[in-house]
């Protein structure tokens, strides 16, 4: 049975690359009816952030990434599993004590290698280049290296999937598997997600946190669909996947070798798509956190124009807040007031032309007076929702 794990350190937010790792690990297990395990790697107590674990779990749930088993390393550390494992290596002469810590011993002049099932290549190291890494710190807590190997073994992890930044740690783990006499799991590293400006995606250059994308009103379906295609591709050119569809289609052969670039336009496109396939009532509920006054009748007017949910504020805020008076041609407004009934029936075009005005100019004046912006939902429908009194009040201002 395939057993995979997602093993984040709770640092306060989930990186878009972390979500991708979790989705791949989930799909790899679930594709064949295996198990997906969430393991919180929080043994670095200095980096621990209060509430970070609960936040992370909440975010994973939003994406439907449900785990079958759940472990917390700091709790496991209380049972001394890691300490005993480190001591066992000291006894076997494969690790040594050093200033209160326990360090790995590395053999001289050997070669160590593994085949990466995601990158599809064999990577090898000379053991002389492997650092004598700390396994157990003087505070008795394990380092990542020790905890990851002990846990992946005890939790029967068959496939390890993680970010490429962990490749340099892998030879340390390979030695540990060997020293403990554990079977080495299949190991796969994922490509780096690149920033469009070049280099690895980083917080300094722009938004990389899943929580932030959610706050802006990107839908979980869109974010997930977007990230799974950053570094993985199906044999056909299919682009739209729900989580379940992705699980069905998933095949590690689809991992791409080149580093994908985060293309924000593509994410916008996915989000627009998932917004538009929502029912009006669903969308109403989704927009409420951004614009609490929103009503169902407004939804059809803005649905096709939204890229993110937060944009509902700009597009539909004028229904609830009178715009600042704008500088527009007063003759246009006067004419609109005098001919209101014809106007909302859409029968005023000829009369506007007969005034010697351009129809576009006339409606732009109205649009600005009523909505306070040049980009708005359809004007006549908006006027109907606002009602005659409110519409005229705005035109008269
Ligand atoms: N705790 C590591 C991280 O935060 C996990 C690395 C691994 O999956 O082995 O990314």
């Amino acid at each position: 049975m395939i057993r995979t794990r997602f093993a984040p350190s709770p640092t306060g937010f989930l990186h878009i690359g972390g979500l991708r790792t979790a989705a791949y690990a989930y799909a790899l297990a679930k594709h064949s009816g295996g198990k997906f395990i969430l393991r919180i790697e929080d043994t670095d107590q200095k980096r621990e952030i209060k509430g970070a674990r609960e936040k992370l779990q909440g975010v994973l749930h939003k994406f439907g990434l449900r785990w079958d088993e759940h472990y917390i390393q700091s709790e496991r550390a209380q049972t001394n599993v890691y300490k005993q494992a480190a001591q066992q290596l000291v006894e076997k002469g494969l690790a040594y004590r050093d200033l209160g810590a326990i360090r790995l011993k590395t053999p001289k002049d050997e070669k160590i290698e593994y085949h990466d099932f995601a990158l599809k290549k064999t990577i090898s190291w000379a053991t002389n280049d492997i650092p004598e890494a700390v396994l157990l710190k003087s505070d008795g807590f394990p380092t990542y290296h020790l905890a990851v190997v002990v846990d992946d073994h005890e939790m029967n992890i068959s496939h390890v999937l993680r970010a490429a930044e962990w490749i340099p740690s892998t030879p340390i783990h390979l030695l540990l598997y060997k020293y403990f006499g554990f079977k080495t799991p299949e190991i796969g590293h994922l490509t780096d997600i690149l920033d469009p400006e070049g280099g690895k995606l980083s917080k300094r250059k722009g938004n990389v946190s899943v929580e932030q994308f959610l706050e802006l009103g990107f839908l979980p379906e869109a974010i997930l669909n977007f990230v799974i295609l950053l570094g993985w591709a199906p044999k056909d050119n299919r682009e739209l996947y729900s989580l379940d569809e992705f699980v069905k289609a998933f095949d590690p052969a689809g991992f791409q070798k080149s580093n994908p670039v985060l293309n924000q336009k593509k994410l916008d496109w996915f989000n627009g798509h998932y917004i538009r396939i929502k029912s009006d009532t669903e969308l109403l509920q989704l927009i409420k956190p951004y614009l609490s006054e929103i009503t169902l009748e407004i939804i059809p007017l803005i649905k096709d124009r939204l890229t993110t949910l937060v944009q509902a504020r700009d597009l539909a805020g004028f229904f609830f807040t009178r715009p600042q008076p704008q500088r527009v041609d007063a003759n246009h407004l006067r004419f609109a007031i005098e001919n209101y009934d014809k106007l909302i029936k859409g029968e005023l075009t000829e009369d506007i032309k007969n005034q010697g005005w351009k129809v576009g100019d006339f409606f732009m004046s109205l649009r600005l007076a009523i909505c306070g912006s040049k980009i708005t939902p359809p004007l006549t429908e908006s006027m109907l929702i606002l009602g005659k009194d409110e519409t005229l009040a705005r035109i008269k201002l």
Side-chain angles (χ1 to χ4, degrees):
M1 180 194 279
I2 294 194
R3 290 174 57 89
T4 63
R5 77 326 186 253
F6 178 50
S9 302
T11 52
F13 76 100
L14 180 60
H15 189 281
I16 200 88
L19 176 67
R20 184 186 64 158
T21 306
Y24 290 159
Y26 178 89
L28 177 58
K30 295 295 157 184
H31 181 77
S32 57
K35 298 271 189 255
F36 174 64
I37 287 132
L38 175 64
R39 186 171 71 223
I40 305 293
E41 304 212 320
D42 60 347
T43 57
D44 191 349
Q45 302 281 316
K46 283 192 292 288
R47 291 205 322 185
E48 178 72 18
I49 291 167
K50 249 184 112 47
R53 169 161 52 92
E54 291 74 9
K55 214 173 125 195
L56 182 96
Q57 292 170 338
V59 175
L60 291 177
H61 265 169
K62 283 207 174 105
F63 290 90
L65 297 168
R66 297 187 175 266
W67 48 90
D68 300 294
E69 295 167 31
H70 176 246
Y71 303 92
I72 302 172
Q73 277 184 339
S74 62
E75 285 177 5
R76 285 175 49 72
Q78 306 302 323
T79 68
N80 288 336
V81 265
Y82 308 117
K83 216 182 245 173
Q84 281 161 8
Q87 273 157 4
Q88 194 192 325
L89 291 187
V90 175
E91 281 154 28
K92 288 201 223 162
L94 299 169
Y96 61 96
R97 289 183 199 280
D98 177 40
L99 302 171
I102 293 180
R103 280 181 184 274
L104 176 74
K105 259 192 203 169
T106 56
K108 285 270 153 302
D109 304 328
E110 286 177 28
K111 193 172 122 182
I112 198 150
E113 63 179 28
Y114 81 106
H115 184 79
D116 195 297
F117 80 93
L119 298 173
K120 301 179 195 91
K121 63 177 179 189
T122 297
I123 305 182
S124 63
W125 291 266
T127 52
N128 297 1
D129 296 335
I130 304 175
E132 305 217 303
V134 172
L135 302 177
L136 199 75
K137 294 175 279 184
S138 47
D139 63 7
F141 272 95
T143 58
Y144 159 66
H145 304 303
L146 178 64
V148 81
V149 169
V150 169
D151 281 358
D152 283 343
H153 173 73
E154 286 205 6
M155 296 168 194
N156 271 314
I157 301 301
S158 62
H159 292 69
V160 167
L161 260 182
R162 62 180 167 221
E165 63 182 303
W166 300 104
I167 294 175
S169 298
T170 302
I172 298 169
H173 306 171
L174 294 173
L175 269 185
L176 284 171
Y177 285 115
K178 201 170 135 193
Y179 286 176
F180 284 122
F182 295 160
K183 184 173 179 298
T184 306
E186 296 295 322
I187 300 174
H189 290 95
L190 300 167
T191 46
D192 286 327
I193 302 173
L194 301 183
D195 189 275
E197 308 286 305
K200 244 174 96 168
L201 199 62
S202 93
K203 240 199 293 196
R204 272 175 294 113
K205 294 180 198 155
N207 182 23
V208 297
S209 107
V210 171
E211 288 89 336
Q212 233 175 305
F213 281 117
L214 288 170
E215 271 163 32
L216 287 170
F218 286 94
L219 301 177
E221 301 93 305
I223 302 174
L224 187 84
N225 201 150
F226 174 68
V227 299
I228 59 167
L229 296 176
L230 286 175
W232 179 86
K235 283 199 209 82
D236 50 15
N237 282 332
R238 178 171 176 176
E239 284 203 298
L240 293 170
Y241 289 94
S242 66
L243 179 60
D244 286 344
E245 290 164 348
F246 175 56
V247 165
K248 249 187 223 131
F250 185 76
D251 175 354
F255 282 129
Q256 311 275 283
K257 289 185 183 159
S258 55
N259 294 330
V261 177
L262 187 139
N263 175 353
Q264 178 70 43
K265 287 236 162 63
K266 191 83 205 188
L267 175 58
D268 290 348
W269 180 85
F270 276 120
N271 211 46
H273 168 79
Y274 284 102
I275 284 177
R276 285 182 257 302
I277 62 173
K278 293 277 177 205
S279 72
D280 290 357
T281 25
E282 282 172 320
L283 196 53
L284 176 70
Q285 295 312 322
L286 290 166
I287 292 176
K288 276 201 169 149
Y290 299 90
L291 188 64
S292 57
E293 308 97 321
I294 189 99
T295 54
L296 192 58
E297 56 184 349
I298 297 174
I299 300 294
L301 271 57
I302 61 172
K303 198 174 190 176
D304 289 346
R305 293 172 166 75
L306 291 173
T307 299
T308 60
L309 298 176
V310 71
Q311 289 172 347
R313 281 186 199 146
D314 286 342
L315 270 174
F318 74 88
F319 283 109
F320 314 103
T321 318
R322 276 191 187 171
Q324 297 290 325
Q326 309 275 328
R327 216 191 278 270
V328 296
D329 189 334
N331 294 321
H332 290 163
L333 301 187
R334 205 171 306 122
F335 196 69
I337 296 167
E338 283 161 10
N339 298 282
Y340 180 81
D341 291 335
K342 256 181 138 176
L343 171 67
I344 53 164
K345 282 192 213 137
E347 292 168 0
L348 203 58
T349 319
E350 283 311 309
D351 298 333
I352 297 166
K353 285 183 193 158
N354 289 339
Q355 293 291 314
W357 297 326
K358 282 195 187 126
V359 179
D361 292 347
F362 174 83
F363 280 105
M364 189 51 80
S365 297
L366 271 195
R367 200 176 288 282
L368 282 167
I370 296 168
C371 316
S373 150
K374 288 185 180 172
I375 300 160
T376 71
L379 192 57
T380 339
E381 280 96 326
S382 301
M383 288 165 67
L384 286 171
I385 290 176
L386 281 170
K388 185 172 180 178
D389 290 350
E390 179 61 22
T391 305
L392 291 181
R394 291 181 183 199
I395 303 178
K396 279 179 197 156
L397 281 175

